[in-house]
Amino acid sequence: MAECEYSITLIGAGTIGLSFAALHLTKNPICTVTIYDTRPDLQAYVKQHLPGYLQDADQSACFSRLQFADDLQAAVKDATTVQEQGPENADFKVSIWPRIEQHAPWDAIFWSSTSGIPASVQSAQMKDPSRLVVVHPYNPPHIMPLLEVVPSAYTSQGTMDRTLAYWRALGRSPVVVKKECTGFVANRLAFALYREACSLVAQGVVDVKNLDEIVQTSMGPRWSVAGPFKSYHAGGGEGGLTSFMDKIGGTVQECWDGSEKDVKKGKIDVGGKWQADVCRQADEAYGVVDTTERDEKTRKVLAAVGRH
Amino acid sequence: MAECEYSITLIGAGTIGLSFAALHLTKNPICTVTIYDTRPDLQAYVKQHLPGYLQDADQSACFSRLQFADDLQAAVKDATTVQEQGPENADFKVSIWPRIEQHAPWDAIFWSSTSGIPASVQSAQMKDPSRLVVVHPYNPPHIMPLLEVVPSAYTSQGTMDRTLAYWRALGRSPVVVKKECTGFVANRLAFALYREACSLVAQGVVDVKNLDEIVQTSMGPRWSVAGPFKSYHAGGGEGGLTSFMDKIGGTVQECWDGSEKDVKKGKIDVGGKWQADVCRQADEAYGVVDTTERDEKTRKVLAAVGRH
């Protein structure tokens, strides 16, 4: 199935666009990639920044399969797949898909990398919304395996099948999100923990750096191997999650009630009083983060769990 | 400093007790470990189950430094450290510490592995509550680096210093929790995400297995390398967490509002209607989890981030 997607057009050459370009070029050796972006220095920009994403790959082989377009019609006319990571606003996305639909081959499929604008909204002015599905990466996509695949009610089974088959063939982890919901799943989960983290720092229970240390030495490694349900299911022994909830449910509820009480006081909303101090602590703890080192370690973790 | 703790008495030989016994015996080659438990088959039980925790270590060398006691006075009389993981109820803990205090050397320090009963409660009937501190592991402690060190207002600096020095000398990650709060920090964070996970499954957005897959292919690996604050601080580029909150704060708040609305409907409390279906899904997805495989992979992840 992966052979279906051999001519991929990327709309938008920001960091997500370049990361996806690197992913396609390195993991799908038969594809060509066309990058469309309205920036005037597009080619120079990509030639400067793409190598940082290509790691140990044969760079000249990758660049030989890379094309540029400054005209949308030309960009999509031979595409098997159009993948969009343009500005994160609904007007832009609603207006660009009918233009893409008009010029792309009839059997091309369409992916949006949006982190929040559902396919049902984006496809409002398309003739055939069955071709569009959200494929939301976890940044940066050339390293992180997850892709949240979020169809609208109009997305066809054919679009879904081709989308899942492609990403699986590339060794990634596409996961279907069955209902469009605010933030999809990964960010909803991460932000729930992040809110509790902000709340605990705001209360002076722990500082920013120590909170990160706690996560890095417990949940991080554990959840790399077994997600929260599997972990608690294992924690319940032979009785599984049912037994875990019977035994530990009281503590779980106490923690939930504690969190709810703290948050209900209205303390932990974006822009609240807590925020400046948390941001200051992050500055002091980390300065500017070296993402190269982070990414190298992340690759090793993924290799350790057989994900790379 | 690590040499201070050379005679460690463990109160309670459940899975946490055995895991700590293995940790001390394998990482602290000069220590002796005394295990106290009221179970009649204590020695046979430990001899049967401890080897599973010792991995590649020299088992006979470990067992040669291991003693048993069925009498509390004998168990603690020569201890430099008494580490308690008995029944998780306050009455038990409040009543045992004065007895330990009475029979242990004057300069021994006391650790409780409790996941929820603060040192300030446990020490209510002690003559000198300065010697007691909670050292809450992330299960299983012979593998997971984190130890939440939670003092009461009475815990002395000397107790803290010796506690932190010991665990650091053993290559673990002791983190001080500055205020006693329900569930301490790790469980508070994990359960916050778990509640959102239960909520999303209950709404039919994603099933149990796919939710775990999402976490295992995104937050798990990321948070093994950089906790949530460091990750979002990096996500903000040179402007750090401040810039991240400026740019992404709207989405963060939308996710928080979405979560709050769902949970406020009263849907996601322990024992709610959602629970049976989530537990059934976990049974179907995982059966009985092979923790040996999980632990082996976890060791590899920890090695990948330089934690083992």
mmCIF file of all heavy atoms in Angstrom, chain B residues 90-110:
data_model
loop_
_atom_site.group_PDB
_atom_site.id
_atom_site.type_symbol
_atom_site.label_atom_id
_atom_site.label_comp_id
_atom_site.label_asym_id
_atom_site.label_seq_id
_atom_site.Cartn_x
_atom_site.Cartn_y
_atom_site.Cartn_z
ATOM 1 N N ALA B 90 -2.812 4.113 58.995
ATOM 2 C CA ALA B 90 -2.161 5.059 59.895
ATOM 3 C C ALA B 90 -1.961 4.468 61.288
ATOM 4 O O ALA B 90 -0.912 4.670 61.909
ATOM 5 C CB ALA B 90 -2.967 6.364 59.961
ATOM 6 N N ASP B 91 -2.939 3.709 61.798
ATOM 7 C CA ASP B 91 -2.815 3.143 63.137
ATOM 8 C C ASP B 91 -1.573 2.272 63.267
ATOM 9 O O ASP B 91 -0.836 2.360 64.242
ATOM 10 C CB ASP B 91 -4.058 2.306 63.483
ATOM 11 C CG ASP B 91 -5.268 3.192 63.730
ATOM 12 O OD1 ASP B 91 -5.075 4.415 63.913
ATOM 13 O OD2 ASP B 91 -6.395 2.662 63.722
ATOM 14 N N PHE B 92 -1.382 1.418 62.268
ATOM 15 C CA PHE B 92 -0.194 0.559 62.296
ATOM 16 C C PHE B 92 1.074 1.395 62.385
ATOM 17 O O PHE B 92 1.955 1.150 63.206
ATOM 18 C CB PHE B 92 -0.150 -0.342 61.054
ATOM 19 C CG PHE B 92 1.174 -1.032 60.878
ATOM 20 C CD1 PHE B 92 1.477 -2.183 61.601
ATOM 21 C CD2 PHE B 92 2.145 -0.513 60.015
ATOM 22 C CE1 PHE B 92 2.721 -2.804 61.461
ATOM 23 C CE2 PHE B 92 3.377 -1.140 59.870
ATOM 24 C CZ PHE B 92 3.664 -2.280 60.589
ATOM 25 N N LYS B 93 1.150 2.403 61.520
ATOM 26 C CA LYS B 93 2.401 3.164 61.437
ATOM 27 C C LYS B 93 2.604 4.026 62.697
ATOM 28 O O LYS B 93 3.714 4.108 63.239
ATOM 29 C CB LYS B 93 2.422 3.995 60.156
ATOM 30 C CG LYS B 93 2.490 3.097 58.900
ATOM 31 C CD LYS B 93 2.558 3.882 57.604
ATOM 32 C CE LYS B 93 2.163 3.076 56.384
ATOM 33 N NZ LYS B 93 3.082 2.014 55.961
ATOM 34 N N VAL B 94 1.533 4.647 63.162
ATOM 35 C CA VAL B 94 1.649 5.483 64.364
ATOM 36 C C VAL B 94 2.106 4.641 65.556
ATOM 37 O O VAL B 94 2.908 5.095 66.381
ATOM 38 C CB VAL B 94 0.294 6.176 64.676
ATOM 39 C CG1 VAL B 94 0.323 6.821 66.064
ATOM 40 C CG2 VAL B 94 -0.019 7.226 63.610
ATOM 41 N N SER B 95 1.652 3.396 65.598
ATOM 42 C CA SER B 95 1.983 2.581 66.774
ATOM 43 C C SER B 95 3.356 1.917 66.679
ATOM 44 O O SER B 95 3.972 1.609 67.698
ATOM 45 C CB SER B 95 0.898 1.520 67.006
ATOM 46 O OG SER B 95 0.913 0.588 65.943
ATOM 47 N N ILE B 96 3.841 1.684 65.458
ATOM 48 C CA ILE B 96 5.111 0.942 65.375
ATOM 49 C C ILE B 96 6.340 1.835 65.584
ATOM 50 O O ILE B 96 7.362 1.388 66.107
ATOM 51 C CB ILE B 96 5.223 0.138 64.056
ATOM 52 C CG1 ILE B 96 6.239 -1.015 64.249
ATOM 53 C CG2 ILE B 96 5.622 1.029 62.882
ATOM 54 C CD1 ILE B 96 6.231 -2.049 63.144
ATOM 55 N N TRP B 97 6.244 3.118 65.187
ATOM 56 C CA TRP B 97 7.454 3.963 65.277
ATOM 57 C C TRP B 97 7.956 4.164 66.705
ATOM 58 O O TRP B 97 9.179 4.101 66.928
ATOM 59 C CB TRP B 97 7.245 5.298 64.560
ATOM 60 C CG TRP B 97 7.245 5.170 63.055
ATOM 61 C CD1 TRP B 97 6.237 5.490 62.213
ATOM 62 C CD2 TRP B 97 8.305 4.663 62.228
ATOM 63 N NE1 TRP B 97 6.585 5.207 60.906
ATOM 64 C CE2 TRP B 97 7.854 4.697 60.895
ATOM 65 C CE3 TRP B 97 9.577 4.156 62.487
ATOM 66 C CZ2 TRP B 97 8.630 4.270 59.812
ATOM 67 C CZ3 TRP B 97 10.367 3.732 61.420
ATOM 68 C CH2 TRP B 97 9.891 3.785 60.100
ATOM 69 N N PRO B 98 7.077 4.362 67.707
ATOM 70 C CA PRO B 98 7.613 4.492 69.070
ATOM 71 C C PRO B 98 8.316 3.217 69.543
ATOM 72 O O PRO B 98 9.304 3.282 70.265
ATOM 73 C CB PRO B 98 6.351 4.752 69.916
ATOM 74 C CG PRO B 98 5.364 5.315 68.954
ATOM 75 C CD PRO B 98 5.637 4.640 67.650
ATOM 76 N N ARG B 99 7.843 2.053 69.088
ATOM 77 C CA ARG B 99 8.488 0.796 69.464
ATOM 78 C C ARG B 99 9.859 0.687 68.784
ATOM 79 O O ARG B 99 10.833 0.233 69.392
ATOM 80 C CB ARG B 99 7.602 -0.386 69.069
ATOM 81 C CG ARG B 99 6.288 -0.457 69.875
ATOM 82 C CD ARG B 99 5.340 -1.502 69.285
ATOM 83 N NE ARG B 99 5.929 -2.830 69.255
ATOM 84 C CZ ARG B 99 5.597 -3.778 68.378
ATOM 85 N NH1 ARG B 99 4.666 -3.537 67.462
ATOM 86 N NH2 ARG B 99 6.187 -4.953 68.415
ATOM 87 N N ILE B 100 9.908 1.093 67.526
ATOM 88 C CA ILE B 100 11.193 1.075 66.816
ATOM 89 C C ILE B 100 12.165 2.052 67.471
ATOM 90 O O ILE B 100 13.335 1.747 67.714
ATOM 91 C CB ILE B 100 10.973 1.423 65.321
ATOM 92 C CG1 ILE B 100 10.227 0.277 64.639
ATOM 93 C CG2 ILE B 100 12.295 1.718 64.625
ATOM 94 C CD1 ILE B 100 9.717 0.594 63.237
ATOM 95 N N GLU B 101 11.641 3.233 67.776
ATOM 96 C CA GLU B 101 12.435 4.284 68.399
ATOM 97 C C GLU B 101 13.030 3.809 69.729
ATOM 98 O O GLU B 101 14.177 4.125 70.068
ATOM 99 C CB GLU B 101 11.495 5.476 68.644
ATOM 100 C CG GLU B 101 12.149 6.770 69.006
ATOM 101 C CD GLU B 101 11.083 7.845 69.217
ATOM 102 O OE1 GLU B 101 9.938 7.509 69.591
ATOM 103 O OE2 GLU B 101 11.405 9.028 68.993
ATOM 104 N N GLN B 102 12.237 3.018 70.423
ATOM 105 C CA GLN B 102 12.666 2.553 71.737
ATOM 106 C C GLN B 102 13.845 1.583 71.640
ATOM 107 O O GLN B 102 14.737 1.593 72.498
ATOM 108 C CB GLN B 102 11.471 1.848 72.418
ATOM 109 C CG GLN B 102 11.742 1.369 73.833
ATOM 110 C CD GLN B 102 10.548 0.569 74.387
ATOM 111 O OE1 GLN B 102 9.463 0.546 73.775
ATOM 112 N NE2 GLN B 102 10.741 -0.056 75.531
ATOM 113 N N HIS B 103 13.870 0.767 70.579
ATOM 114 C CA HIS B 103 14.852 -0.312 70.516
ATOM 115 C C HIS B 103 16.006 -0.053 69.542
ATOM 116 O O HIS B 103 17.024 -0.736 69.629
ATOM 117 C CB HIS B 103 14.148 -1.624 70.156
ATOM 118 C CG HIS B 103 13.147 -2.055 71.172
ATOM 119 N ND1 HIS B 103 13.490 -2.386 72.468
ATOM 120 C CD2 HIS B 103 11.792 -2.182 71.113
ATOM 121 C CE1 HIS B 103 12.413 -2.703 73.154
ATOM 122 N NE2 HIS B 103 11.368 -2.591 72.359
ATOM 123 N N ALA B 104 15.853 0.876 68.643
ATOM 124 C CA ALA B 104 16.909 1.127 67.667
ATOM 125 C C ALA B 104 18.013 1.985 68.299
ATOM 126 O O ALA B 104 17.762 2.701 69.267
ATOM 127 C CB ALA B 104 16.337 1.843 66.453
ATOM 128 N N PRO B 105 19.237 1.923 67.767
ATOM 129 C CA PRO B 105 20.303 2.815 68.244
ATOM 130 C C PRO B 105 19.859 4.277 68.163
ATOM 131 O O PRO B 105 19.050 4.634 67.296
ATOM 132 C CB PRO B 105 21.454 2.529 67.283
ATOM 133 C CG PRO B 105 21.199 1.139 66.776
ATOM 134 C CD PRO B 105 19.712 1.015 66.712
ATOM 135 N N TRP B 106 20.416 5.114 69.026
ATOM 136 C CA TRP B 106 19.965 6.510 69.119
ATOM 137 C C TRP B 106 20.160 7.275 67.810
ATOM 138 O O TRP B 106 19.450 8.230 67.528
ATOM 139 C CB TRP B 106 20.698 7.226 70.255
ATOM 140 C CG TRP B 106 22.179 7.404 69.964
ATOM 141 C CD1 TRP B 106 23.185 6.531 70.243
ATOM 142 C CD2 TRP B 106 22.783 8.513 69.282
ATOM 143 N NE1 TRP B 106 24.388 6.998 69.789
ATOM 144 C CE2 TRP B 106 24.170 8.227 69.199
ATOM 145 C CE3 TRP B 106 22.312 9.713 68.749
ATOM 146 C CZ2 TRP B 106 25.088 9.090 68.590
ATOM 147 C CZ3 TRP B 106 23.235 10.570 68.143
ATOM 148 C CH2 TRP B 106 24.589 10.268 68.064
ATOM 149 N N ASP B 107 21.149 6.838 67.000
ATOM 150 C CA ASP B 107 21.452 7.623 65.794
ATOM 151 C C ASP B 107 20.907 6.962 64.516
ATOM 152 O O ASP B 107 21.254 7.373 63.402
ATOM 153 C CB ASP B 107 22.955 7.860 65.676
ATOM 154 C CG ASP B 107 23.738 6.549 65.689
ATOM 155 O OD1 ASP B 107 23.132 5.476 65.957
ATOM 156 O OD2 ASP B 107 24.957 6.589 65.425
ATOM 157 N N ALA B 108 20.064 5.946 64.644
ATOM 158 C CA ALA B 108 19.441 5.353 63.451
ATOM 159 C C ALA B 108 18.416 6.333 62.872
ATOM 160 O O ALA B 108 17.800 7.118 63.610
ATOM 161 C CB ALA B 108 18.752 4.041 63.814
ATOM 162 N N ILE B 109 18.251 6.283 61.560
ATOM 163 C CA ILE B 109 17.198 7.091 60.935
ATOM 164 C C ILE B 109 16.109 6.177 60.386
ATOM 165 O O ILE B 109 16.332 4.986 60.165
ATOM 166 C CB ILE B 109 17.743 8.039 59.841
ATOM 167 C CG1 ILE B 109 18.458 7.261 58.729
ATOM 168 C CG2 ILE B 109 18.651 9.097 60.462
ATOM 169 C CD1 ILE B 109 18.853 8.137 57.538
ATOM 170 N N PHE B 110 14.941 6.775 60.144
ATOM 171 C CA PHE B 110 13.745 5.979 59.848
ATOM 172 C C PHE B 110 13.093 6.445 58.547
ATOM 173 O O PHE B 110 12.828 7.638 58.376
ATOM 174 C CB PHE B 110 12.730 6.115 61.001
ATOM 175 C CG PHE B 110 13.294 5.771 62.356
ATOM 176 C CD1 PHE B 110 12.899 6.491 63.490
ATOM 177 C CD2 PHE B 110 14.210 4.728 62.515
ATOM 178 C CE1 PHE B 110 13.412 6.167 64.747
ATOM 179 C CE2 PHE B 110 14.728 4.404 63.775
ATOM 180 C CZ PHE B 110 14.323 5.132 64.887
#
